[in-house]
Amino acid sequence: MANTVIQANKETIEKMKGHYKNVLTDKLPPGAVFVAKPSGCTITAYKSGKVLFQGSNGEGESSQWGKVEPPKVKSPSKGTTTLPENFADWSVIGSDEVGTGDFFGPITVVSAYVKREHLPLMKELGVKDSKNLSDSQIIKIARDLIAAIPYSLLILHNPKYNAMQAKGMTQGKMKALLHNQAILNLLEKMAPELPEGILIDQFVEKNTYYKHISAQKKIQRDRVYFSTKGESIHLAVAAASIIARYAFLKEMDKLSEKAGVEIPKGAGKHVDVAAAKIIKRKGIEELKSMTKWHFANSEKAIKLAGK
Ligand code: MG
C-alpha cells in the first residue's frame, strides 16, 4: 500500500482536524498534531506540516487537501565517492578499525585483500557484517580468514594512544594514519599484485582523511574509495572488520590477565566498575596503561575507587 504525503500549512491542518473530528484517535506519535482514521485510511498530521495518508483510500483522502509531495531523491552525502558499478564483485582491499569506542584496549586496524576468486570462499566461511556475529563466531571465522587471505594488522596500544591524544591528536587523525599505513603495508606484501579497488569504511569525509595524513611520506590515493557501511558493500571490509575484532579480543584477553579482572568492552557503567577495581588492586598508572585515558570513564572510576 502506497503512502501519500502532502505538505500543508497550519490553517489547512486545523481545517483537516475539524473535518475529521469524529474519527480522531488519542494516541499520537511524537511530533504529531492529530491522527485520524476515516474508513480505509490513517492520517497523521505533523507539526512540521507533513501529513501522511496510509491505507487503501489514502490517495482518495489526500487528494482533497493538497498537492502530493514528490518522493525525495537521496543525494549521496558530501565527500562520499560514488562506487563503480559491480564494485562488490571486484578484487578489493577493505580496511576497517575496531576499539575506538571502548575505554579499555587498543585500536586495531586491518586491511584485508579479497580478490574476485575468493568471494565464494568468504561466503562459505561465513564472512558478513561483524556486528551480527558473536565473539565466538568472530574467532572461528577470523582464524580461517587469517590462513586464507593476505592482510595487514596494526595495533595502537594504549600508552602510545594516550601520548598521541595528549599532544592534541584526534581519534580521527589516528585512524586515518593507521588506515593509510595498513593499506601501504598490505600493498607491499601483495606486490606486484594490485587490487582493483581499496575501500575504507568511512569514518570521516574524504578531504579530511587526506588532510589528516598530508604530512606522511607515502600516501595511498590510487584506487581508494570511501563508503559508510563498507561491510555491506564489499566482503573485503567485512573480512577486515572480523580480523580487527579478533585482534581486539585477543588484546582484551591479554589485558584481563594483566589486570586480574575480566575487562569489559564498551564505555558504560560496568566499565567504570571494572576500572575502579583495577585502581584499587594495581593503581591509577596501571589502569591508564590499558585504557583510552581521555574518556570520561577514567574520572568516574577514580571517584568510584575513592582515590
Ligand atoms: Mg568501521
Side-chain angles (χ1 to χ4, degrees):
M1 246 175 293
N3 295 340
T4 309
V5 179
I6 65 167
Q7 192 68 37
N9 59 25
K10 252 190 181 159
E11 266 181 284
T12 309
I13 288 181
E14 276 314 306
K15 225 192 244 172
M16 291 170 85
K17 196 174 173 185
H19 179 82
Y20 294 113
K21 63 178 187 292
N22 295 327
V23 287
L24 293 176
T25 67
D26 314 331
K27 266 203 183 154
L28 299 185
V33 182
F34 73 83
V35 175
K37 292 191 172 178
S39 77
C41 178
T42 298
I43 304 166
T44 313
Y46 291 94
K47 287 181 191 132
S48 65
K50 268 202 167 61
V51 187
L52 176 65
F53 296 79
Q54 293 165 292
S56 54
N57 193 33
E59 265 187 69
E61 284 295 338
S62 70
S63 62
Q64 55 181 311
W65 296 108
K67 241 185 20 215
V68 173
E69 219 181 52
K72 269 198 192 122
V73 180
K74 243 192 171 177
S75 59
S77 62
K78 216 174 131 202
T80 304
T81 337
T82 320
L83 292 168
E85 226 176 294
N86 302 324
F87 187 83
D89 303 326
W90 284 21
S91 296
V92 164
I93 287 180
S95 205
D96 200 8
E97 81 283 331
V98 167
T100 54
D102 299 274
F103 179 52
F104 282 101
I107 292 178
T108 57
V109 172
V110 169
S111 298
Y113 181 46
V114 176
K115 52 181 161 187
R116 265 169 220 273
E117 305 89 280
H118 275 154
L119 287 168
L121 172 69
M122 292 302 105
K123 283 180 189 152
E124 191 148 318
L125 294 181
V127 173
K128 57 181 167 191
D129 193 332
S130 69
K131 285 169 207 82
N132 300 324
L133 295 168
S134 67
D135 285 354
S136 59
Q137 284 173 309
I138 294 271
I139 291 166
K140 191 180 168 295
I141 299 169
R143 283 183 180 152
D144 291 338
L145 277 177
I146 284 169
I149 59 170
Y151 72 96
S152 156
L153 161 69
L154 292 177
I155 301 177
L156 179 58
H157 291 284
N158 297 107
K160 190 155 178 207
Y161 174 101
N162 288 332
M164 289 162 100
Q165 199 279 328
K167 277 189 211 148
M169 193 183 284
T170 62
Q171 235 193 31
K173 182 163 181 175
M174 292 181 212
K175 286 193 268 187
L177 291 168
L178 290 163
H179 277 282
N180 182 58
Q181 196 55 52
I183 290 165
L184 289 171
N185 292 354
L186 179 54
L187 285 169
E188 204 176 295
K189 224 181 195 177
M190 287 164 46
E193 188 172 348
L194 272 174
E196 293 170 287
I198 299 169
L199 181 61
I200 300 174
D201 190 34
Q202 190 162 19
F203 53 92
V204 72
E205 224 197 295
K206 182 180 163 187
N207 294 340
T208 310
Y209 174 86
Y210 285 117
K211 207 173 75 197
H212 281 329
I213 59 174
S214 59
Q216 295 309 103
K217 269 195 217 108
K218 261 187 107 176
I219 297 171
Q220 182 63 30
R221 288 175 186 273
D222 183 35
R223 294 157 207 244
V224 172
Y225 298 90
F226 298 86
S227 176
T228 54
K229 303 205 174 83
E231 293 179 74
S232 57
I233 289 181
H234 198 285
L235 286 173
V237 179
S241 172
I242 288 171
I243 300 173
R245 188 158 294 281
Y246 172 63
F248 182 77
L249 290 173
K250 281 209 302 190
E251 291 302 315
M252 291 292 264
D253 282 348
K254 283 186 210 163
L255 290 182
S256 292
E257 203 161 307
K258 191 172 165 224
V261 167
E262 173 81 24
I263 283 179
K265 283 176 269 180
K269 279 197 181 118
H270 60 302
V271 169
D272 304 335
V273 173
K277 246 186 226 171
I278 294 169
I279 292 178
K280 281 185 182 159
R281 287 187 194 179
K282 310 258 177 179
I284 288 178
E285 280 310 307
E286 185 77 358
L287 176 66
K288 190 171 175 181
S289 75
M290 52 181 75
T291 58
K292 301 180 187 80
W293 194 244
H294 64 112
F295 279 33
N297 301 86
S298 50
E299 272 180 41
K300 289 179 194 160
I302 291 170
K303 249 191 211 154
L304 273 178
K307 300 268 164 169

